[in-house]
Amino acid sequence: MSTLRSWFNIPRGSHFSLANIPFGIISTTPYETPRVAVAIGDHVLDLEIFAANNGFSALSPIQPHQHVFSQPNLNAFAALGRPVHSVVRKYIQSVFADDTPYPEVLKTNSHLQKQAIYPLKEVKTHLPFKIGDYTDFYAGLNHAYNVGVLFRGPANALQPNFKHLPVGYHGRASSVVVSGTPIRRPNGQILENPSAEKKVPTFSPCRKLDIELELGAFVCKANNMGEPVPITEAEESLFGVVLMNDWSARDIQAWEYVPLGPFNSKNFGTTISAWVVLADALKPFLAKGLDNDTELLPYLKEKQTENIYDIKLQVNLKTKTGNSTTLSKTNSRNLLWSFPQMLTHHTITGCPMQVGDLLGSGTISGLEASERGSLLEQNYNGKSSIKLSGGEERKFLEDGDEITITGVCGTNEEALVGFGECSGRIEPALKL
Amino acid sequence: MSTLRSWFNIPRGSHFSLANIPFGIISTTPYETPRVAVAIGDHVLDLEIFAANNGFSALSPIQPHQHVFSQPNLNAFAALGRPVHSVVRKYIQSVFADDTPYPEVLKTNSHLQKQAIYPLKEVKTHLPFKIGDYTDFYAGLNHAYNVGVLFRGPANALQPNFKHLPVGYHGRASSVVVSGTPIRRPNGQILENPSAEKKVPTFSPCRKLDIELELGAFVCKANNMGEPVPITEAEESLFGVVLMNDWSARDIQAWEYVPLGPFNSKNFGTTISAWVVLADALKPFLAKGLDNDTELLPYLKEKQTENIYDIKLQVNLKTKTGNSTTLSKTNSRNLLWSFPQMLTHHTITGCPMQVGDLLGSGTISGLEASERGSLLEQNYNGKSSIKLSGGEERKFLEDGDEITITGVCGTNEEALVGFGECSGRIEPALKL
């Protein structure tokens, strides 16, 4: 892809190049009301201030809708639909372009630059959407296989349904938080001796606190109850993508999850990155995912074979001593199912989606040990230790550990489409 | 309980006696804006109109909050807290009492009676809450046992965790609908021949469409993320109770639910009754539930032994030929866990609850076949047929079938605390 040159200083290697223009919710001091912004280089453009100062004067179709930029979440903007997101993104790109046709809007308007552009490090970011329902899928084939091997052996690692449908479960929307929010280690019921005949749980802080490296996609179009979203229309229903860490309490999960699935083991926190990368910005990075040797039912068949995002992903752990270790490097091409397939499967029963609903991809792992997106897979369910830099070791997370996920598309250092960071630090459990 | 006599005509045997005063959301013609009302006998009192016409003149603490009655859901009223719900209910009871201390408010105010009181059959009811998250538990011991016997035999019917914690899973909030909303039969993936070695699903309308007789409880108090709700405070977080039918597609469920639980089999619709019976109104009907022979962990132990509602429940099926059959008669005392226990367990990890969150009890079944709250249990997973009046038979639901759940507390025909109806009719599947 050719590089869009900007008159604005966008550092080489920035996740937020002119090719990106991700959307988020910010507040500043002293103006503490959350509102819409886009990230660009090391800065953000405050779209409420920009709109109020005729920033959209050259984009007449958006003018009746400018109030969406004063909302405390992206729901209203998202509800305007993919064609509007596309127009707004392209307009902002054109305003920042070196050869902008609208220099008076911002390039030569130092007053508005001062009013509406802030250093990224000086803004507070907020949860980008008011999330109605959150669904977590399990579309990472290698993850499902690795975990299946741990619990059932290689012969039965994948359940018979795995390649026929995107397996998913309903998650907890209220505990989805934005990057940077501390995560408190949960308490719960744990079975200390699973092989004992009499199974009596203990009450304890979680001892197997884990991560799950995922992507999340936000829905921007509602469907009526009873009316499925066909696979040909599913992409139009997806606003954009974030990084996600679906924190998991493995010991609580092991005791609770049969027969109805994970519950308390997942509901204490799910972290997402603050900047939502639009589906438009990601389109050039669609690639072929993993081969599915199963004949799909027609409702799940996509026309395009390049349906999976090619996002380079990385997980870092920083301990409280300050040592930082890369735990995993992988790629979202390790997904068996695309977000449109997940959405279509979700609604095939007529389940109504709402603007702001969140779909998680499931844990993304590659084939190698260094490519695994959960500690469970790396430590063989606690049987071995993971070596950290500085001589430390981990099986699962300790208090004070900070996990940071990063993700980026592309190789042209001047046109990266990245997600920034998705990070969270573990606080000690409450003493109950 | 002694009978509260009213100057207003409340038919003997009404679910909505003066002892009840349930809250709901109504609209009327031509005033179609949804707003708050209470049901009383065969009528409703429109609380927006009542408030606007000085109906609350004798209740000064509520006056600054009267705008809550103009909301399209009960969230704002619920958020005022249990003490306010209690005061408002008692005040309305006193206004309708034969010996009301405030006759000028309504008893002798025929103008306001005409303005604010409508026949129940002339109002449209709406979903009472904007539901953030919906969680469905599995607290019906006999149901869990019956289903366990069907799938695993009597020796392993109950999972080892069942008596140690209220098993639950996150449900789909967006498809919770109010009584009377049609339910479209879902399409989905079904394994026609589960015993075949090669498991290949078929795409089909659900052939095992089932009901689940449940109660639902609404949350009226938020807790911060990371801060569990102790069992001693859980009751204060619960607003009131509705009847619930958690429609279930058993064939879709059988194929999809291992390992992460029910998903599409549950997300096409969950029906709740329109009138929320306040926790205060139900307090006199708390009773001892089923014995739990397991020593509970301290966080789940309640002081009171009478912690389960004594609600007589009934399920009726009306076929499209007009034949009506009582499928089941049971009682909510068949629950092993109370709503406070469910809430406390839900939040023990620090999971944040929000006002308007819904907790489902799980299917309620008695010991006898005639007391079972799902068709699955009554027909032994499709192995036998259920005889209906008029010579019809059913394994699972057919198109046009209408299920109506009713529930009522008490025996004094002039002081019943009932829930009205929770009903839904099956529409044919979409042809895809």
Side-chain angles (χ1 to χ4, degrees), chain B residues 4-6 10 16-21 40 92-93 96-97 414:
Chain B
L4 286 165
R5 304 251 163 221
S6 179
I10 302 172
F16 306 137
S17 76
L18 208 48
N20 194 348
I21 314 291
I40 182 149
I92 295 171
Q93 286 176 324
F96 277 98
E414 292 184 347

Side-chain angles (χ1 to χ4, degrees), chain A residues 13 66 170 227 236 247 329 335 348 369 411:
Chain A
Q66 292 192 145
H170 301 118
E227 298 176 9
E236 282 300 293
W247 307 92
K329 279 187 177 186
L335 292 169
I348 191 65
T411 50

Side-chain angles (χ1 to χ4, degrees), chain A residues 133 160-161 164-165 170 172-174 184 189 199 201 225-226 255 258 263-264 267-268 299 345 349 351-352 357, chain B residues 133 160-161 164-165 168 170 172-174 184 189 199 201 225-226 255 258 263-264 267-268 299 345 349 351-352 357:
Chain A
D133 280 286
N161 56 22
H164 289 280
L165 53 81
H170 301 118
R172 180 79 195 175
S174 72
R184 184 170 278 168
Q189 293 196 18
K199 303 203 186 308
M225 186 159 151
W255 171 235
V258 176
F263 178 55
N264 274 358
N267 72 14
F268 59 95
Y299 79 96
H345 180 67
T349 55
C351 179
D357 285 348
Chain B
D133 280 287
N161 57 21
H164 288 280
L165 54 80
H170 301 119
R172 180 79 194 175
S174 72
R184 183 169 279 168
Q189 293 197 16
K199 305 205 185 307
M225 186 158 152
W255 171 234
V258 176
F263 178 56
N264 274 357
N267 72 14
F268 59 96
Y299 80 96
H345 180 66
T349 54
C351 179
D357 286 348

Side-chain angles (χ1 to χ4, degrees), chain B residues 162-197:
Chain B
F162 189 85
K163 291 183 171 180
H164 288 280
L165 54 80
V167 171
Y169 65 102
H170 301 119
R172 180 79 194 175
S174 72
S175 55
V176 179
V177 295
V178 72
S179 179
T181 308
I183 298 293
R184 183 169 279 168
R185 180 183 300 275
N187 287 292
Q189 293 197 16
I190 291 168
L191 195 63
E192 297 202 48
N193 186 357
S195 54
E197 196 175 332

